[in-house]
Amino acid sequence: MTTTVEPAEFTIVHFDAGRIAALSDELADAVGLDGVDIRIEVDETALLGHTDLASIDPILIRTESGALEDPKKLRHFSEVHATDVLGRHLLRARDRRDADFGDPPADEELSLPHRVAWEVHTVGRLAQKGYPAQRQRWLYSFRNRHGFTDDADQAFETLWSSERLTWAQISTLSDETATKNPGRLDRKPS
């Protein structure tokens, strides 16, 4: 497995392409993506935090530099943020490449509740492997899409602590929880 990072040399932000590639290789190994080529394109001119899993074969992650930076030291690399972003995308790529996982819709067709439920499951799996995770952040996000109820909290725990769920299990859990909680925020952002 090899990770290629573009640009190879950063001029606007203080990032090291070699460090990003090494972190990606470590994460890919940890999540079971053996022998897969990975390409990470960082737009250092866009200091916001948009990220995208653009392809799964080969794996292509596109990100704005703001998603990988330290919010307390602007334009400097944050290993914690990079681990979160790259780890989530690599796990989702692994899920999409696994026939046993199922066939989730394309990213742009995912409902917000489904997207959040899947993200909770990916971050929970990263946490199980010892990587830093902002559990409270993801719990709040999940509650916003599924309700501030005991049912939603129980669904969150299942997603967070399960080692490996299928797409059918994730989407069913999300749908059943959202149905019980009609006050949730599941609108698409404008």
Side-chain angles (χ1 to χ4, degrees):
M1 130 189 64
T2 45
T3 298
T4 306
V5 176
E6 290 295 328
E9 190 171 317
F10 292 91
T11 58
I12 298 174
V13 294
H14 305 285
F15 291 3
D16 179 331
R19 181 63 201 123
I20 295 170
L23 180 60
S24 173
D25 288 343
E26 173 192 323
L27 287 163
D29 185 49
V31 303
L33 281 170
D34 301 324
V36 176
D37 288 331
I38 301 165
R39 181 178 176 89
I40 301 171
E41 295 176 357
V42 180
D43 182 354
E44 66 178 322
T45 66
L47 302 177
L48 299 176
H50 179 75
T51 66
D52 180 39
L53 177 61
S55 170
I56 61 166
D57 194 16
I59 295 174
L60 171 59
I61 299 170
R62 291 189 178 123
T63 182
E64 295 173 344
S65 60
L68 307 179
E69 81 177 12
D70 184 340
K72 294 181 181 178
K73 195 171 183 186
L74 300 180
R75 296 182 25 218
H76 287 80
F77 184 69
S78 167
E79 188 136 340
V80 170
H81 284 104
T83 297
D84 176 64
V85 168
L86 300 176
R88 283 186 291 124
H89 284 310
L90 291 172
L91 269 168
R92 285 182 42 245
R94 178 183 170 227
D95 289 345
R96 286 191 180 276
R97 294 167 64 100
D98 181 357
D100 292 337
F101 179 73
D103 190 22
D107 283 354
E108 60 275 3
E109 296 172 13
L110 285 172
S111 69
L112 284 174
H114 284 173
R115 177 182 297 275
V116 169
W118 195 2
E119 294 285 10
V120 165
H121 186 50
T122 60
V123 177
R125 287 184 284 170
L126 287 171
Q128 290 170 31
K129 294 182 180 304
Y131 290 100
Q134 296 176 330
R135 186 180 188 285
Q136 287 305 115
R137 170 189 166 214
W138 288 103
L139 176 59
Y140 184 72
S141 181
F142 187 80
R143 285 173 171 168
N144 274 326
R145 303 298 175 215
H146 295 86
F148 288 77
T149 66
D150 291 343
D151 289 333
D153 289 355
Q154 185 176 3
F156 175 88
E157 283 304 321
T158 299
L159 291 163
W160 187 266
S161 61
S162 294
E163 188 174 312
R164 186 97 164 109
L165 297 174
T166 65
W167 174 248
Q169 291 169 316
I170 293 168
S171 59
T172 299
L173 190 59
S174 175
D175 292 341
E176 289 174 353
T177 306
T179 300
K180 293 177 187 176
N181 302 294
R184 75 226 179 261
L185 302 172
D186 60 357
R187 302 179 307 272
K188 289 197 177 215
S190 52

